[in-house]
């Protein structure tokens, strides 16, 4: 797994995300779990990379990616991943973001949810106050 440090939000971070995350201009990215504690600098980079705003949980179409901000005690992570997977276009991804403190999610809880839902870990990122895990969506059966 690769790791990206977003200790500062500048042009270098955006270039790094363009290289290391499968974000591309024109993608539809849904944000789930937004609250005042999210990393706004990271969100701004995502918006810059995709060239448009993030859509919220009420968006009615398929999306290319889901930013899932998840904190301990918010419910069942596997259910949230299944819901995210239901709106993803084929071959796209979920970026699961969990806080380093204040709602910390244990790695074994993430591992269990990933196994239960059939997602696959692709890489990891580190933001200032958040851990991120890039999860690829399993292919749909035909």
């Amino acid at each position: 797994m690769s790791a990206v440090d977003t200790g500062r939000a500048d042009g270098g971070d955006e270039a790094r995300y363009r290289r290391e995350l499968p974000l591309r201009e024109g993608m539809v990215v849904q944000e789930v779990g937004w609250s005042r504690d999210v990393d706004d600098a990271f969100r701004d980079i995502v918006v810059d990379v995709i060239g448009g705003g993030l859509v919220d949980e009420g968006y009615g179409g398929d999306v290319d990616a889901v930013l899932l901000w998840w904190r301990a005690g918010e419910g069942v992570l596997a259910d949230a991943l299944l819901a995210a997977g239901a709106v993803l276009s084929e071959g796209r991804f979920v970026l699961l973001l969990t806080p380093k403190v204040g709602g910390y999610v244990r790695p074994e809880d993430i591992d269990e949810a990933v196994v239960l839902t059939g997602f696959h870990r692709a890489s990891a990122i580190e933001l200032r106050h958040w851990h991120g895990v890039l999860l690829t969506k399993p292919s749909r059966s035909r």
Side-chain angles (χ1 to χ4, degrees), residues 2-21 23 38-46 49 69 95 97-98 100 124-132:
S2 66
V4 177
D5 178 10
T6 61
R8 61 192 190 343
D10 61 18
D13 289 330
E14 183 172 337
R16 197 170 323 132
Y17 284 114
R18 285 187 186 273
R19 279 191 317 271
E20 297 195 18
L21 291 176
L23 294 169
V38 302
D39 187 321
D40 286 326
F42 174 74
R43 291 175 79 245
D44 291 344
I45 291 169
V46 171
V49 170
W69 301 95
L95 182 55
L97 297 152
T98 60
K100 292 180 179 178
I125 64 169
E126 293 297 324
L127 285 70
R128 281 174 277 175
H129 303 290
W130 293 80
H131 295 289

Side-chain angles (χ1 to χ4, degrees), residues 10-105:
D10 61 18
D13 289 330
E14 183 172 337
R16 197 170 323 132
Y17 284 114
R18 285 187 186 273
R19 279 191 317 271
E20 297 195 18
L21 291 176
L23 294 169
R24 302 290 176 260
E25 188 170 347
M27 284 184 139
V28 177
V29 178
Q30 183 180 56
E31 183 175 44
V32 177
W34 180 90
S35 188
R36 293 184 306 204
D37 64 344
V38 302
D39 187 321
D40 286 326
F42 174 74
R43 291 175 79 245
D44 291 344
I45 291 169
V46 171
V47 167
D48 287 345
V49 170
I50 65 172
L54 303 171
V55 298
D56 65 18
E57 297 171 49
Y59 181 76
D62 284 351
V63 300
D64 299 307
V66 175
L67 296 182
L68 177 58
W69 301 95
W70 189 262
R71 300 150 194 88
E74 289 189 328
V76 179
L77 178 56
D79 291 344
L81 289 175
L82 287 173
V87 300
L88 282 178
S89 299
E90 187 72 22
R92 299 307 184 163
F93 67 93
V94 171
L95 182 55
L96 173 62
L97 297 152
T98 60
K100 292 180 179 178
V101 295
Y104 173 76
V105 179

